[in-house]
Amino acid sequence: MPVSKRAETSLLTDQVYDMIHESIMNGDLPAGARLRVRDLAEQVGTSVMPVREAIRRLEEAGLAERSPHKGAVVKGLTLAELVHVYDVRRLLEVEAARLGAQRISAEDSARMQDEFALMRTALDERRVVAYLDHDEALLTILYEAAENPVLVDTIRTLWQRCRAYKIVGAEGTVDTTEDDSLWMYQQRLVEAAREHDDAAAAAVNNDSLLDATARIKAQLAQQDVS
């Protein structure tokens, strides 16, 4: 294949990957949704080859999997994966919060507060995906203050892998008016960062992730996910 043709195929693969990835991240393609190669190729207006390559990359990223009699599907939800992913998140994000709180600047603390305000607005308006985006933006500001890009990149990869779980947890809690778990921990985290209280920041993240695991477990149990 000529170099120009390979480059064109690679570009198309990137475009297809980005399209499917965005649909998974915003919940338009939920867990278990079929990724039909010909349908996706028709939507994008390309041949099937870039679509197959994009799906392969999604499988490598842990966002898609092969299902008997269905072919490629968006990665399903399981209690075992939930526990495994959130256990690893706790290991990494507790430390990221501790280091970030030690080093964060006043300007970045203010940016965290701004993201918290946007997150609360999205929550009040029941915009779950926007809520999650602002939550992750808030955490990213703190974690980047730790000055360890490998740590931040690894955490972001885990966020992508568990986005479907996050959506389930948030959607199952957003209409429970007496439950403040979707914003309470972030408020405490912003306060801990502002005070450079690294122990408090680490403890808040630990409690937040334990709470999230329990809430999502309960939601998956209602859906009869094993």
Side-chain angles (χ1 to χ4, degrees):
M1 181 186 298
V3 173
S4 60
K5 189 65 175 178
R6 287 200 301 269
E8 179 183 347
T9 301
S10 178
L11 179 60
L12 288 171
T13 299
D14 290 343
Q15 292 173 347
V16 176
Y17 178 91
D18 289 343
M19 182 196 73
I20 302 173
H21 182 274
E22 181 179 359
S23 295
I24 294 173
M25 291 299 104
N26 64 26
D28 288 342
L29 281 174
R34 293 182 68 177
L35 299 174
R36 295 180 173 88
V37 173
R38 295 194 180 279
D39 289 349
L40 291 168
E42 184 176 341
Q43 290 176 32
V44 181
T46 184
S47 67
V48 298
M49 185 163 54
V51 177
R52 287 183 175 134
E53 177 61 20
I55 291 174
R56 185 190 65 78
R57 286 170 51 184
L58 289 163
E59 290 172 350
E60 291 177 350
L63 298 176
E65 62 186 353
R66 294 285 164 177
S67 175
H69 312 300
K70 289 185 178 180
V73 300
V74 177
K75 184 77 179 289
L77 305 180
T78 69
L79 288 174
E81 184 183 48
L82 168 69
V83 172
H84 293 156
V85 171
Y86 273 74
D87 279 352
V88 176
R89 285 190 62 192
R90 281 175 56 218
L91 288 172
L92 298 178
E93 294 186 49
V94 167
E95 180 66 4
R98 184 183 69 80
L99 292 173
Q102 291 175 359
R103 303 170 183 174
I104 194 166
S105 66
E107 292 79 10
D108 282 343
S109 292
R111 289 174 56 217
M112 287 182 68
Q113 183 64 53
D114 291 342
E115 288 294 342
F116 177 74
L118 292 169
M119 187 197 78
R120 287 299 308 271
T121 297
L123 193 57
D124 291 342
E125 296 173 353
R126 304 301 191 259
R127 293 183 291 118
V128 167
V129 172
Y131 158 78
L132 293 173
D133 289 341
H134 289 300
D135 175 39
E136 291 179 0
L138 181 157
L139 294 173
T140 297
I141 294 168
L142 178 61
Y143 298 168
E144 285 181 342
E147 299 178 358
N148 186 331
V150 175
L151 177 61
V152 176
D153 286 348
T154 304
I155 290 170
R156 282 175 169 158
T157 298
L158 286 171
W159 286 347
Q160 292 188 49
R161 181 159 183 168
C162 69
R163 175 53 80 103
Y165 293 98
K166 289 184 171 190
I167 291 173
V168 167
E171 288 182 340
T173 309
V174 69
D175 290 320
T176 308
T177 55
E178 68 273 13
D179 192 335
D180 58 5
S181 60
L182 291 181
W183 60 266
M184 173 184 67
Y185 296 106
Q186 292 91 330
Q187 183 180 64
R188 293 177 181 173
L189 193 61
V190 171
E191 293 168 354
R194 185 184 302 119
E195 299 298 323
H196 296 287
D197 189 338
D198 58 334
V204 168
N205 257 18
N206 185 69
D207 293 345
S208 173
L209 287 165
L210 286 174
D211 180 84
T213 304
R215 283 188 292 104
I216 299 169
K217 270 186 178 180
Q219 293 297 321
L220 294 182
Q222 291 181 12
Q223 299 176 18
D224 197 26
V225 173
S226 59

